[in-house]
Each structure stands twice: as C-alpha cells, then as structure tokens.
Amino acid sequence: MNLMKTLPALLASLAFLPAQAQTEGVGRMDQSAQKQLSVDFKSCAKPVWPRESLRKEETGRVTLEFLIGLDGKVMESKVLTSSGYPLLDLAAQDGLAKCQFTAPASIGRTEPTRTRIQYAWTLEEAKSPAEQKAEWERSLAAAEQGDSEAQVRVASGYLSGDASKRNPAEGMRWLRAAAEQGNVRGMEALALELRSGRHVEADPLQALEWLEKAVAAGSPMAEFSLAMALTGPKSVRPDEARARALLEKAIAGGHKFARMPLAAMLLKEGGSSTAEAVRLLQEGAEEQDRMAQFLLGTLYEKGEHLPADRARAQALYERAAAGGIPYARTALARLKQQEAK
C-alpha cells in the first residue's frame, strides 16, 4: 500500500463528533496470585473505554495474564478469557499494562512472575421508561422556555433518539433555535447535519458559516471540524494552510482527534516535520485513535521514520482493525500471508 496515496482517504473518513458516555470499570486481582503480587491502581490511569464499544453498549469481563519484571513493571501480557469484545479486551490489556505491580524481588523472587487480573467493563444502570419520559418532558418544557442546552438535547432526541419520538424536521428546528442563540454545541451539530445531508438537504457553504461562528466562540471541536471541511477533494473551499493552523489550535485546546490529520499533513510535508508527526501519532495511538494506530503501524511495518518492528505494527493493526478500520484489516491479512510463505 502506498501510504501517501492513502492519507486523503484516511482524512476523509474521520468522524465529526466522538461519542461520549458515563462509564465505570472495575479491576480485580486473581486471588491465588494476589498472595504473591498486588497492583497499585493509583499508579495507572483507568483503562479508556473505546468509543466504538460505548456506542454499541458493549460490556463484559476479561481475564488477563501479566508477566511482571523484578521491578514490578509489566514485561508482557495476554488475554486468557475474553469479554466477548476484542476492543474491550485490548483496551483493558493496554491500560493495565501501564500499572505498577509489587516488585517480585521485594517478596524474595529472583525471576519475573506471572499473575492474573480480571477487569469488568460495566455501564451505568439504564433509566426506567418512566424516568426517561419525565426527563424528556422536562427538557421539552425547558426548550420551549428558550433554554438552548435543552434545545440541543431535544434536537438530539428527535434526530437520533428512539423511533417513537424520531422527527427530523423538529430536530432541525430545535438545532437552529439553539445555534441562533449562540449555543456552540448547537452550531457544531447543525454544521454536521448540513455537511452530511443526513436529515436535511446538504448545504456545505452554510455548514462552513456555522463552523466559523463556533470557531469564533472558541470551540476546539469546531476548529477541528472546520479544518476537515477545508481539506480533501470534496471541499467547497479548500485551504490547507488555514486547516493546519486550525488543527494546531484545536490540539492546544485539548481536542485529541485533531492530532491524526495534522500528523498526516506533516508526513506529507516530509523533512523535519516527520518527527513531530510521529510524536502526534504516538500520542493518538495511546489514546485509541484508530486511524493513528493504523498509520503508526504502517510506519513500524515499513521502517519509515521509525525502526522497523513487525510485532509492534501487528499489535497496532489489531487495535485499529478491531475499531473498524478496513485498511488495518487488509494490513493484518497481508502480514499473515507473509508469515505463511
């Protein structure tokens, strides 16, 4: 695969609005191993719930085995019992591999020691139908009173809620009401609808106008979205220089998903920009940006800008493929064919 030819397609497939949800994960050490080793959960961040799994409401328990070095750091790990969802398994494995365990040397061991952990991915308990109805009625009443945040919630319900309340025309009406009041989330969502043409006739120029207003209001999400709208062959107003500046600003404002497209631009530019591109891809891959994982895997596989590392490339491809990136599935198949020869 030609990496530079693939970059435009990768950029074009980036999503606008990552899903969010309230979640909780619980880790538990296998009791037989706990007598020998323990893990300090304060030493590592809680595994990050894959946004793809959140959208599908995937839950489950995964049992992992870790090989702990004499200093208490993880040397290698593997999945013993799957949660039933590869993304959840990989996320738990990646997150807990950063934890600090009891140093085997401190309990008299002279070689690395294996232990097990079970990690549970659990969602908050769903609200009852009666609670959902009451919440909807409160939001609707607040929207009627001019509450722009409530208007955005109501719009979301009409556009993507359950089938019983689906009403695209009403959803768009409330989105416009919120956007016209200056609600940034309303502006962003309205621009997305106008670009996608999903619930209303597409109007790319009007979408750009709303994104410009959201950018003026200081929204990193809008900076990212506008940058994407200004790049690619289908852009109605291409401006790569401004797109790059917007991506840099979005990253500075904490928008993580702006890293990958900026890294792609820097790789295309080449020269001294490649080191910064690699750094951005590494950060994105750590935070489960599937495109960043795929692109970083490609660099490891080809030995471009990084030392060639087939095992690392495969691990990154596996995560990107589990996250739905078709290029990564193709890359994994290619690696397997090469191994079979």
Side-chain angles (χ1 to χ4, degrees):
M1 181 190 68
N2 186 308
L3 179 58
M4 290 302 111
K5 287 183 179 178
T6 308
L7 288 176
L10 291 173
L11 292 174
S13 61
L14 285 170
F16 258 59
L17 301 173
Q20 295 180 350
Q22 296 295 318
T23 64
E24 183 179 358
V26 181
R28 180 169 63 83
M29 180 76 76
D30 180 78
Q31 288 185 353
S32 62
Q34 194 171 21
K35 296 175 183 178
Q36 301 173 339
L37 299 175
S38 62
V39 60
D40 178 8
F41 284 103
K42 294 180 181 178
S43 70
C44 52
K46 186 169 67 176
V48 178
W49 202 305
R51 63 189 186 282
E52 304 93 337
S53 297
L54 281 174
R55 282 198 290 267
K56 298 174 184 176
E57 297 187 353
E58 295 173 347
T59 62
R61 294 175 182 270
V62 54
T63 302
L64 305 168
E65 181 178 88
F66 293 93
L67 179 62
I68 311 303
L70 294 179
D71 60 356
K73 296 190 182 300
V74 175
M75 298 175 66
E76 61 181 55
S77 64
K78 65 180 179 180
V79 175
L80 291 181
T81 306
S82 174
S83 65
Y85 300 103
L87 273 182
L88 295 183
D89 296 346
L90 292 167
Q93 188 177 15
D94 290 347
L96 296 175
K98 300 172 186 175
C99 295
Q100 178 68 45
F101 287 73
T102 301
S106 71
I107 55 174
R109 292 182 171 264
T110 58
E111 59 183 24
T113 304
R114 293 190 180 277
T115 191
R116 298 178 180 183
I117 288 181
Q118 186 180 87
Y119 192 83
W121 297 96
T122 59
L123 288 166
E124 287 186 345
E125 187 176 346
K127 294 177 181 176
S128 69
E131 290 173 325
Q132 292 177 32
K133 182 180 178 183
E135 187 175 274
W136 170 255
E137 289 174 350
R138 286 194 297 271
S139 292
L140 199 54
E144 294 284 2
Q145 293 297 315
D147 183 327
S148 66
E149 282 297 320
Q151 289 170 348
V152 173
R153 292 196 299 273
V154 168
S156 177
Y158 280 131
L159 292 172
S160 56
D162 61 72
S164 65
K165 65 167 71 83
R166 199 74 56 83
N167 188 328
E170 274 296 281
M172 292 302 298
R173 181 174 77 83
W174 283 116
L175 263 191
R176 285 190 179 278
E180 287 168 359
Q181 285 199 74
N183 185 287
V184 174
R185 288 204 307 131
M187 294 177 190
E188 293 166 351
L190 180 57
L192 173 61
E193 294 293 343
L194 289 168
R195 280 195 69 199
S196 69
R198 186 173 48 181
H199 295 113
V200 68
E201 185 177 352
D203 189 337
L205 288 174
Q206 190 180 158
L208 288 179
E209 290 176 9
W210 283 111
L211 284 176
E212 291 283 10
K213 290 178 182 179
V215 165
S219 164
M221 168 64 82
E223 290 161 355
F224 165 70
S225 298
L226 182 56
M228 294 296 92
L230 297 176
T231 57
K234 294 185 179 180
S235 173
V236 294
R237 201 177 74 201
D239 187 341
E240 191 160 317
R242 183 159 186 237
R244 177 170 171 172
L246 284 165
L247 290 172
E248 290 172 346
K249 192 173 179 183
I251 292 169
H255 192 79
K256 299 172 182 178
F257 294 100
R259 291 174 181 149
M260 191 273 171
L262 179 58
M265 287 182 181
L266 294 173
L267 283 176
K268 218 162 98 177
E269 186 178 299
S272 60
S273 300
T274 57
E276 176 64 7
V278 168
R279 185 187 69 79
L280 290 169
L281 289 177
Q282 288 171 330
E283 288 181 356
E286 280 286 317
E287 295 182 13
Q288 299 190 44
D289 184 324
R290 306 304 173 194
M291 290 292 193
Q293 288 172 337
F294 166 71
L295 199 50
L296 190 61
T298 302
L299 298 184
Y300 275 117
E301 182 189 357
K302 295 180 178 295
E304 294 178 0
H305 316 302
L306 285 168
D309 188 333
R310 187 186 180 88
R312 182 63 179 145
Q314 181 169 331
L316 287 161
Y317 288 154
E318 286 172 349
R319 285 152 178 75
I325 305 301
Y327 300 107
R329 289 195 288 268
T330 302
L332 278 174
R334 184 180 62 249
L335 290 182
K336 289 179 181 178
Q337 285 178 347
Q338 291 171 358
E339 287 176 0
K341 290 180 180 178

